Amino acid sequence: MSSSGETLMIDNYDSFTFNLYQSLCNLGANVRVVRNSELTARDLPGLNIQNLIISPGPGHPKTDGGISQAAIKYFAGRVPVLGVCMGLECLVDALGGEISYAGEIMHGKTSKIRHDERGCFKGLPQGFQSTRYHSLSAHIKSLPDELAVSEDALVAAEAGADFVGLIFADSRRRVGIDTAVEVSTVVQTFRDEKPIPPPQPVEPQLPWFSHHAQSLLPLRKPLLVGVFQDQPLEEILAVVSAVHLDMVQLHGSEPAHFSSFIPVPTIRVIHAQVDDTADSISKMARPGMHQFVLLEAVKPGEKVSGGSGVTVNLDLAKEVIEKGEAGGNSPLPIILAGGLTPDTVGKVVKSVQPWAVDVSGGVETDGKKDPAKIRKFIDVVRAVQ
C-alpha cells in the first residue's frame, strides 16, 4: 500500500531512475520507487498515489516495460502521469501508438524544445536546450488522439501555413474545447517567436474584400480559424472567447448578420451548385458583412459543401475572380477549397490564381493528417505563388 500524497516512480531497471528520485526529493516530493517487476495489475487499485512517473530504461517498452503500461492505463485520468525517456515511449505504447527506430541515434545530443507552456512546462522559456538520449521514437502517423493534440497544427505552422483550421461543426474532424485550447496555445507560442513583419504599403480606397485581404499581410502567421456550421451565435461567440480564435468560418446557412456580432473577421462559404454562374456567385459575395469568401463545390443532391472532395468548376472559379468585386476593378480575392491534393494544387493555383486555398482531406492518409502531405501541399503552393 502507498500513502496519500505519494509519488510512485516505476523503475524500468535504469540507473538514471535515482537521479530523478534525488532531484524530486530535493524539491520536497515524497517519492516511492518500485521496480517494474514488483507490482501486478491487481495491486494498482490499492495504490493511493498523487502522481505516477515512469522511468527511463533499456530496450523496447513492449518487451521491457513490465507493469508500466498497465499502470499508465489504470491511472490515466486519475492522477498526473509523467514518462521520461522509455517512460514516455511506454505512454505512447499504452495508448495505442507505435514505437520504432527514430531514424537517428540521439544519445547525448541536444535539441531546442518548443512546448505549450502547460503541465511540467509551465513557466519554462521557449527554446530551452534539452539533452536527449534515445534511439527509438513514436511513429508520428500512429500517435493516438490523446497525444496528437497539437502535432498537426505545429507541422502546418512550421511548414509555412498562413491559417490553421479547427473544426467545431458536427464532423469526424471535430475537436473539443480542451483540445482546441491546447492547439491555440501551441500556435500562438509558435508565432510569438517569429519576428514582426515589416510595415506593408497600404493601397488607398481598395474595395471591401481586397482591403480585408491586405489587412492580414502584416500579421504574424498562422492565424487560427474556427469552422462552424449552422450553430447558434452564442456557441460561436463562446468558442471564439475560450480558444482565442483569430477568424471564424461560417460553413452553413447562417444568417448574413451573424458576421456583425462576431468580434473577429469571418469567412463566408459559398456552396457552388452545378447551375451557378459567375453572376449568381458574385451576388452572394456582397460586401459589408463577412470579410472573406470561400468557394467550394456541393456534392450532387446536397445543399452545403464540406468534406466531399468535390472540386469546384475551375473555369467558373476563374471567372468569379476575374469578374472582380463591387466598388472597384480588383479581382475578387477568394479562398478555393474542395478536392485539392499536393499533386493537384499547383496546377489549380496556376490556372485559377485564388487568394488562398483550403485543404483537409487532401493531406490525410487513412483518415489522419499526414505530415509529409501537409509539407508538400504548402511547398507546392508557395512555389507557384
Side-chain angles (χ1 to χ4, degrees):
M1 295 290 291
S2 59
S3 61
S4 179
E6 185 176 74
T7 293
L8 176 65
M9 183 184 299
I10 295 179
D11 174 23
N12 284 306
Y13 290 84
D14 193 283
S15 60
F16 191 72
T17 298
F18 288 91
N19 294 79
L20 292 172
Y21 172 83
Q22 183 178 25
S23 296
L24 290 165
C25 289
N26 287 341
L27 293 171
N30 176 21
V31 184
R32 176 189 175 198
V33 180
V34 177
R35 287 197 158 176
N36 69 16
S37 59
E38 294 177 349
L39 291 173
T40 68
R42 283 185 289 185
D43 296 323
L44 299 176
L47 299 176
N48 183 21
I49 64 173
Q50 189 172 16
N51 307 288
L52 174 65
I53 298 176
I54 311 298
S55 86
H60 192 283
K62 273 196 181 303
T63 55
D64 302 288
I67 194 63
S68 297
Q69 283 90 325
I72 291 166
K73 290 177 182 178
Y74 179 80
F75 286 109
R78 290 182 167 95
V79 301
V81 180
L82 172 68
V84 181
C85 198
M86 192 176 84
L88 179 57
E89 295 165 4
C90 287
L91 270 166
V92 174
D93 181 69
L95 295 173
E98 178 185 339
I99 300 298
S100 56
Y101 177 54
E104 180 182 0
I105 295 175
M106 301 302 294
H107 294 168
K109 297 184 179 181
T110 60
S111 296
K112 289 185 176 182
I113 303 300
R114 180 181 293 119
H115 55 84
D116 61 5
E117 299 183 353
R118 303 182 71 182
C120 63
F121 294 106
K122 188 174 182 179
L124 294 180
Q126 292 293 335
F128 70 84
Q129 290 283 353
S130 176
T131 301
R132 302 167 66 175
Y133 204 91
H134 64 97
S135 57
L136 302 177
S137 67
H139 194 287
I140 192 166
K141 292 184 183 178
S142 76
L143 276 180
D145 292 340
E146 295 90 339
L147 299 179
V149 170
S150 55
E151 187 68 38
D152 298 334
L154 191 55
V155 168
E158 291 179 337
D162 291 315
F163 307 94
V164 169
L166 291 172
I167 298 179
F168 299 100
D170 187 13
S171 162
R172 68 175 179 85
R173 301 184 180 100
R174 182 173 184 166
V175 297
I177 296 299
D178 290 344
T179 298
V181 169
E182 292 187 26
V183 173
S184 177
T185 301
V186 168
V187 168
Q188 291 182 52
T189 300
F190 172 84
R191 70 189 187 202
D192 285 348
E193 294 178 351
K194 299 174 71 174
I196 298 175
Q200 300 289 325
V202 178
E203 295 185 38
Q205 298 181 336
L206 284 173
W208 176 262
F209 294 109
S210 297
H211 166 76
H212 287 287
Q214 189 182 67
S215 70
L216 299 186
L217 292 177
L219 302 182
R220 286 185 282 193
K221 311 293 193 308
L223 300 179
L224 203 60
V225 182
V227 181
F228 301 85
Q229 188 172 59
D230 295 324
Q231 286 150 273
L233 179 60
E234 294 78 8
E235 180 181 343
I236 297 172
L237 296 177
V239 174
V240 170
S241 176
V243 182
H244 301 294
L245 296 176
D246 299 301
M247 302 175 72
V248 161
Q249 179 174 313
L250 300 176
H251 208 96
S253 304
E254 296 86 356
H257 70 268
F258 266 30
S259 299
S260 302
F261 296 97
I262 297 173
V264 295
T266 57
I267 303 168
R268 165 65 67 179
V269 176
I270 295 178
H271 310 283
Q273 307 284 341
V274 292
D275 57 349
D276 268 326
T277 64
D279 286 335
S280 64
I281 289 176
S282 295
K283 288 177 182 177
M284 289 185 274
R286 292 190 297 268
M289 289 290 186
H290 47 276
Q291 291 83 6
F292 301 91
V293 175
L294 184 148
L295 184 61
E296 187 168 35
V298 173
K299 193 174 182 179
E302 297 184 2
K303 293 184 178 181
V304 295
S305 57
S308 65
V310 178
T311 304
V312 172
N313 181 323
L314 299 184
D315 291 334
L316 173 63
K318 188 173 183 179
E319 187 179 353
V320 170
I321 293 171
E322 293 175 347
K323 185 177 178 63
E325 57 177 305
N329 298 318
S330 302
L332 179 63
I334 68 166
I335 305 167
L336 192 63
L340 299 175
T341 70
D343 295 326
T344 64
V345 69
K347 182 178 179 181
V348 171
V349 172
K350 281 183 180 179
S351 171
V352 180
Q353 297 186 346
W355 175 68
V357 288
D358 182 30
V359 67
S360 186
V363 291
E364 292 180 346
T365 298
D366 298 328
K368 289 191 174 183
K369 292 293 183 288
D370 186 325
K373 289 184 177 179
I374 292 173
R375 296 186 186 99
K376 183 179 178 182
F377 187 95
I378 295 171
D379 286 345
V380 170
V381 173
R382 294 290 187 198
V384 298
Q385 280 184 328

